[in-house]
Structures are given as C-alpha cells and as structure tokens.
Amino acid sequence: MNKKFSRKFLLTLPYVIITLLFLIVPMLMIVIFSFLPVDGFSVIDNWNYVNTFVWKKIAISFFDAIITTIVVILISYPFAYFLAFNCSMKAKTIVILMITAPIWTSFLVKLIGLKTFFDFLNGYENSTRGQFFTIVGLVYLYTPFMILPLYNTLIELPKSLIFASKDLGRGNFNTFMNVVIPYTKAALFSGITLVFLPSFTTVAVPEFLNANPNGSLISDILMEEGGLALTSKISLARASSLSLILLLLMTAGYILFIFGRFIYNRRKK
C-alpha cells in the first residue's frame, strides 16, 4: 500500500509543482496586487481603472470573439466534412499539411503578410480600418484549430450511420443536423474553446490589421498597462485588477457553457 502511494505521489509530484508555480502562485499574486493600495492610491483607485471605456473594449472584444467563432464554424464544418469523406488519402495528407503549416509560422509574420495583401488589393498603405479586418485576421489565424478536431472526429464517423439516415428518408441537411453534428459535438466544443478564448484575449491583431486610432481590444490595453507595470506599482495593481475581471468573466462564461451542455444532454435523453 505504501509503495503504491509512493509511486502515485512521485508520478503526480511534477504536475503539482508545475500547477503550483505557474497557476496557483501567479493567480494569488494577481489577487493580492488587485487589493493592495500602492503609492498613495487606494484599492478603489485600482478598480476604478476599469471604467466605461474599458468595459466598452471588453464588450467589443467579446463581440469580435463571438463573430469569429461563428464564422470559423461555418467555414470549418463543410471543409472538414468534405475532406474526410470526399478526398483521397494523398489529397488528405497534402491538405492537412497545408492547414497545419501556418500554425508553425510566426504569428507576426502572418499578420504582416495579411495586412500587406489587403493593402495591395486596396492600392494604398494602412488601408485596413475597422473591426471587420480584425475579425478577418482572427478567422485567418484560428480556423485551423477548429478544422483539425472536427476532421479527426469525422474520419472516425461510420459511413453506415449516414447511409442508414438516408435510407430512413432523411436528406443531406437532416442527416448532417441529426447524425454528423451530434457525433462531432465533443470536437465542436473543443474547437469553440480553442477559437473563442484566444480570440477574446488576442494581442497585436488589431494593432496590425485595424489602422483606426481607437481600434485596440481589451488585451491590447492590458498589454500596455502591463508594460508600464515594470516600473509603476499602480500600473501593476491596475493590470492585476483588469486581469482578475477578465478571468472571472471567462470563468463565468465557461460555467454557463458547461451548464448549457448539461441542459442540452438532459433534453436529448
């Protein structure tokens, strides 16, 4: 019994240490700095930094993330379905390599290339103005993270389920809605997480693709305040407060997401 306990303890010890150092301790520091008065400023001053302007940026970031996720789903589902059922193995290998290759490319290089492409189409520099270009950039960056989990699940979908659905009189659309989507819902939820969260907290995308002076998103503001935190304690406190608010919002959204999945599964049963 002691040997088994010792073995389990040794196996879990690295995970516990990593979790403690890189998750628990940073989170505790964020909470402490958020409620720590510094340089003559009170705790209320730390939280007053999150004013109407900041909340507006949070709302815009959330809206952009929602639109990005919806567009990515609309692109990824048909693409992954066609790739899984209508392509040869050689074609699948080539396409998967093309999809995954940009993931290993520099983030900034891809943004600069996309901006250059739009400037070339429009005929002048800094032509990309508006949230539309930010969303295009987010879709461009994060679509592979939706395609890959959907494709990996769809290639395991038994074709007999599709044939049986059609034999029972259901068309392509009903088959897709009642067979394909329920089969791939776990991959879909994973893809939504991989797309929505990075889109909501993205940094540098608006800076490169939205030339409007007021085109920044909430993570750009957090990044700017975090840079000032290297030399300013009040900036550190304000950045911590904003980080804590974003964390609470994402946690609340995740809880609602899980609760929605639970209600959906209960109704299906």
Side-chain angles (χ1 to χ4, degrees), residues 15 36 43 45-46 79 81 84 126 155-156 192 200 202 220 234 251 257 264 267-268:
Y15 173 78
L36 186 67
V43 175
D45 293 323
N46 298 346
F79 186 90
Y81 186 85
N126 294 326
I155 58 176
E156 299 178 356
I192 289 174
F200 180 57
T202 188
D220 297 304
I234 184 59
T251 302
F257 182 70
Y264 173 81
R267 289 183 176 180
K268 291 292 288 186

Side-chain angles (χ1 to χ4, degrees), residues 6-248:
S6 299
R7 185 177 180 183
K8 290 181 179 180
F9 176 77
L10 290 175
L11 289 174
T12 57
L13 183 60
Y15 173 78
V16 172
I17 294 175
I18 291 174
T19 303
L20 181 65
L21 292 179
F22 297 103
L23 182 62
I24 304 300
V25 172
M27 287 306 306
L28 288 176
M29 292 178 64
I30 289 175
V31 174
I32 291 172
F33 286 128
S34 298
F35 294 96
L36 186 67
V38 292
D39 294 339
F41 292 91
S42 66
V43 175
I44 297 177
D45 293 323
N46 298 346
W47 290 90
N48 281 342
Y49 171 74
V50 187
N51 53 23
T52 304
F53 174 78
V54 175
W55 279 109
K56 182 179 178 181
K57 289 297 181 180
I58 292 175
I60 293 174
S61 301
F62 182 80
F63 174 79
D64 286 357
I66 289 289
I67 297 300
T68 297
T69 305
I70 293 173
V71 173
V72 167
I73 291 173
L74 294 177
I75 293 174
S76 300
Y77 245 127
F79 186 90
Y81 186 85
F82 179 83
L83 183 63
F85 294 108
N86 296 283
C87 291
S88 64
M89 184 57 64
K90 183 177 180 179
K92 290 179 182 179
T93 303
I94 294 173
V95 172
I96 291 299
L97 287 174
M98 292 176 64
I99 292 173
T100 56
I103 297 176
W104 309 108
T105 308
S106 171
F107 184 84
L108 295 179
V109 169
K110 289 187 287 186
L111 290 178
I112 293 172
L114 187 61
K115 177 176 174 55
T116 304
F117 173 72
F118 280 123
D119 288 343
F120 173 77
L121 290 180
N122 295 324
Y124 60 97
E125 294 183 357
N126 294 326
S127 62
T128 56
R129 295 179 179 273
Q131 293 299 324
F132 169 78
F133 293 100
T134 299
I135 294 173
V136 170
L138 293 173
V139 170
Y140 169 70
L141 290 173
Y142 297 120
T143 295
F145 296 98
M146 180 70 74
I147 291 177
L148 291 177
L150 288 176
Y151 169 76
N152 290 331
T153 303
L154 285 170
I155 58 176
E156 299 178 356
L157 173 63
K159 290 186 177 180
S160 58
L161 294 178
I162 296 177
F163 294 148
S165 176
K166 292 183 177 180
D167 288 340
L168 291 174
R170 293 185 174 180
N172 292 329
F173 179 78
N174 287 328
T175 298
F176 183 80
M177 296 298 296
N178 294 282
V179 177
V180 177
I181 290 183
Y183 189 86
T184 59
K185 64 180 181 181
L188 177 62
F189 292 144
S190 298
I192 289 174
T193 303
L194 292 172
V195 172
F196 177 80
L197 292 181
S199 298
F200 180 57
T201 57
T202 188
V203 179
V205 175
E207 181 180 351
F208 279 89
L209 291 177
N210 188 354
N212 283 341
N214 196 27
S216 61
L217 296 180
I218 188 59
S219 292
D220 297 304
I221 296 176
L222 180 60
M223 191 74 173
E224 180 181 357
E225 198 67 29
L228 296 174
L230 297 174
T231 57
S232 173
K233 291 183 179 180
I234 184 59
S235 293
L236 177 60
R238 290 172 174 175
S240 299
S241 301
L242 181 55
S243 298
L244 187 58
I245 287 176
L246 293 177
L247 177 63
L248 293 174

